[in-house]
Amino acid sequence: MPLRQLTAIERQRMKRLTAESVDITLLQPTWTALDKGYMDATAPVRNYLKENGLHDFELQGRGARENGVKIDAFLVSEQEQIKAPASLYKPKAKPTKEGDPRIWFSKLHHHANPDDMLAVTEHDGQLVVINLTQVDVAHVLDVQQSGPLWDVLRDISAEATSIADELLGKLRLIAAGGYVPSIMDDRADTAIGRTLEAALGIAMNARREPDYKGIELKSYRRKPKSRENRKQLFAKVPNWEISKFNSMTDVLDAFGYFRDGRDRLNCTVSAANVNSQGLTFKLDEKSGILNEVSTTTAHGAFASWYLSELRADLEKKHAETFWVGAKVHPIDGREHFEFTDVIHTRKPIGSQFDILVEQGEITMDHMMKRLDSGRAHERGPSFKIEAGSLDLLFPPSKTYALV
């Protein structure tokens, strides 16, 4: 069953967790789940457990007694931390169906109401459950600043910022030393970046790995940036091997319209609604696939993406980055750089990508037209996120002065 829409209060609490670099997945216990003592371990939950090295349902045999697994878990609130081991199992197959994997937390029925939204995160090899519907996360972080939830969130945030603090300290030492002469004779665009890397002792190489222990370094002469209503995350064509159609031309043939002398398809696709072309998103949780679906023709699901590949592209495109600003001073015919400030953008919380697609906060744009050759030219498909939802996916950026 798809998750219900988050309330405004739950969205704000989820944003505060994201701001602390808390990587979560969501569970919504129904009345039946609380009564019977089990919930479906949905695809996002299964992916989260697997990617965090806690449990792989694919390797688990069926039967709660024969093959059930328990993981240490806690129900954590402003004042309480209740031990509530998580039970993970796959029910025995029935003649008509195999039965979805299940998860349950001991004592949960005493601490959650039907349709509460639960945030589940990993900490020190254990699961921590936070009831977003009931627990005031902002009050814990901003006012109370004590208690079991405070301790957990501080630990997670500290782990995420330790390397960044180390790099920031080195940059401040460089800035304190004054102007840094360019290591290049000309005024090439790469001069500022090469000079900063040399000052940090980073060897130049052709590999596209992050520059400093997982953090990308970008140096720039500051320029104003415009803002847009939705922010592009990345562009990615469907995986044609798992799709009914074979190309974007097939998509244009089926759903395009004639305008301004050409066949075109310019539209936004969302899981929250059906657009004027009859297109929507549907998540196939069992297969871990995002399908683009036509509701008005016999095509059904015609274009598909593996959710794991979409998450990987998101994290690759938006790595944790230090954007180092510098003033440029020409001295004796050579550029000298005065490094002044850092904007720190942190990597996205990948596990929340699926949730935000399902909630309609992440959508996809087709921007397509037919070329004279008859083929389709697609400037996407472009996955975008609503501006107001950025803080649900990305920890907010921080700015630091170096001098």
Side-chain angles (χ1 to χ4, degrees):
M1 182 182 73
L3 294 173
R4 64 167 172 78
Q5 292 290 306
L6 294 167
T7 67
I9 291 175
E10 290 163 351
R11 283 172 57 90
Q12 284 302 119
R13 291 170 178 173
M14 186 171 163
K15 285 183 179 182
R16 287 309 305 271
L17 294 177
T18 303
E20 302 301 318
S21 296
V22 180
D23 187 357
I24 69 168
T25 186
L26 293 179
L27 279 168
Q28 178 191 339
T30 63
W31 185 93
T32 302
L34 293 173
D35 181 55
K36 293 186 175 181
Y38 67 80
M39 294 178 286
D40 287 342
T42 61
V45 172
R46 299 197 300 272
N47 290 333
Y48 183 87
L49 295 174
K50 182 177 180 179
E51 290 172 4
N52 282 275
L54 293 173
H55 183 67
D56 189 345
F57 276 102
E58 295 176 5
L59 303 178
Q60 186 175 14
R62 292 196 172 273
R65 290 189 178 183
E66 303 93 319
N67 297 294
V69 171
K70 287 190 179 294
I71 296 177
D72 287 341
F74 296 87
L75 309 178
V76 180
S77 63
E78 294 95 334
Q79 303 294 346
E80 289 186 303
Q81 178 169 296
I82 300 166
K83 191 170 183 178
S87 300
L88 312 172
Y89 67 96
K90 293 161 74 173
K92 291 183 178 180
K94 296 181 179 180
T96 55
K97 63 177 182 179
E98 289 189 344
D100 293 327
R102 293 172 180 171
I103 185 171
W104 182 248
F105 299 93
S106 172
K107 306 175 186 176
L108 181 62
H109 56 288
H110 294 305
H111 300 275
N113 295 320
D115 293 324
D116 279 358
M117 198 65 72
L118 309 179
V120 182
T121 188
E122 181 274 336
H123 178 54
D124 289 341
Q126 303 169 329
L127 290 177
V128 173
V129 182
I130 306 163
N131 191 323
L132 287 183
T133 308
Q134 299 184 23
V135 176
D136 190 341
V137 176
H139 184 268
V140 171
L141 289 169
D142 300 333
V143 180
Q144 180 176 310
Q145 297 189 345
S146 64
L149 180 57
W150 163 264
D151 292 338
V152 169
L153 298 182
R154 290 296 89 196
D155 283 351
I156 294 174
S157 181
E159 291 169 5
T161 58
S162 60
I163 293 176
D165 288 344
E166 176 184 311
L167 177 56
L168 182 61
K170 291 190 173 186
L171 291 172
R172 283 178 168 154
L173 284 175
I174 292 170
Y179 299 171
V180 181
S182 174
I183 64 170
M184 302 175 70
D185 292 331
D186 58 10
R187 298 186 179 186
D189 291 339
T190 58
I192 184 171
R194 296 276 178 84
T195 300
L196 180 59
E197 289 177 358
L200 286 166
I202 299 173
M204 185 180 71
N205 61 64
R207 295 178 299 169
R208 292 310 310 141
E209 297 175 0
D211 298 303
Y212 189 89
K213 298 182 181 181
I215 299 177
E216 281 285 340
L217 275 169
K218 302 289 186 184
S219 305
Y220 68 102
R221 298 163 173 85
R222 291 194 301 270
K223 296 179 181 179
K225 293 185 177 181
S226 61
R227 294 185 177 182
E228 53 187 17
N229 291 330
R230 286 186 298 154
K231 181 175 178 59
Q232 179 169 328
L233 296 173
F234 56 87
K236 190 171 184 66
V237 299
N239 185 321
W240 300 119
E241 293 183 359
I242 60 172
S243 301
K244 180 181 291 186
F245 286 2
N246 296 313
S247 68
M248 298 312 301
T249 302
D250 289 347
V251 177
L252 183 61
D253 290 343
F255 307 111
Y257 49 83
F258 190 77
R259 181 179 294 171
D260 298 331
R262 291 186 183 274
D263 290 331
R264 302 178 185 274
L265 181 61
N266 296 315
C267 64
T268 298
V269 182
S270 169
N273 54 56
V274 179
N275 67 20
S276 59
Q277 301 305 111
L279 306 180
T280 187
F281 274 147
K282 290 189 182 298
L283 280 77
D284 181 345
E285 291 191 339
K286 289 186 177 180
S287 302
I289 289 174
L290 175 65
N291 290 310
E292 186 176 2
V293 178
S294 169
T295 63
T296 59
T297 73
H299 293 303
F302 60 88
S304 304
W305 295 258
Y306 281 119
L307 286 162
S308 60
E309 293 179 355
L310 293 175
R311 290 193 299 270
D313 275 26
L314 170 71
E315 293 173 5
K316 180 178 179 181
K317 181 73 173 179
H318 298 278
E320 184 171 14
T321 304
F322 266 34
W323 306 83
V324 184
K327 295 179 181 178
V328 181
H329 303 275
I331 300 175
D332 296 331
R334 181 182 290 272
E335 286 188 330
H336 287 62
F337 303 115
E338 179 188 4
F339 296 105
T340 58
D341 60 272
V342 173
I343 299 173
H344 180 197
T345 56
R346 287 185 280 172
K347 58 186 176 183
I349 308 298
S351 64
Q352 283 157 217
F353 179 84
D354 302 16
I355 296 168
L356 295 175
V357 171
E358 186 177 48
Q359 295 272 314
E361 304 294 340
I362 291 177
T363 54
M364 183 269 289
D365 283 1
H366 282 304
M367 297 170 285
M368 200 183 319
K369 67 179 180 181
R370 195 181 303 278
L371 302 175
D372 292 340
S373 65
R375 294 177 58 252
H377 172 65
E378 165 74 283
R379 289 187 290 131
S382 181
F383 287 83
K384 298 183 178 182
I385 186 169
E386 296 291 338
S389 298
L390 274 172
D391 287 350
L392 293 171
L393 186 64
F394 293 92
S397 60
K398 293 183 179 181
T399 301
Y400 306 99
L402 295 179
V403 291

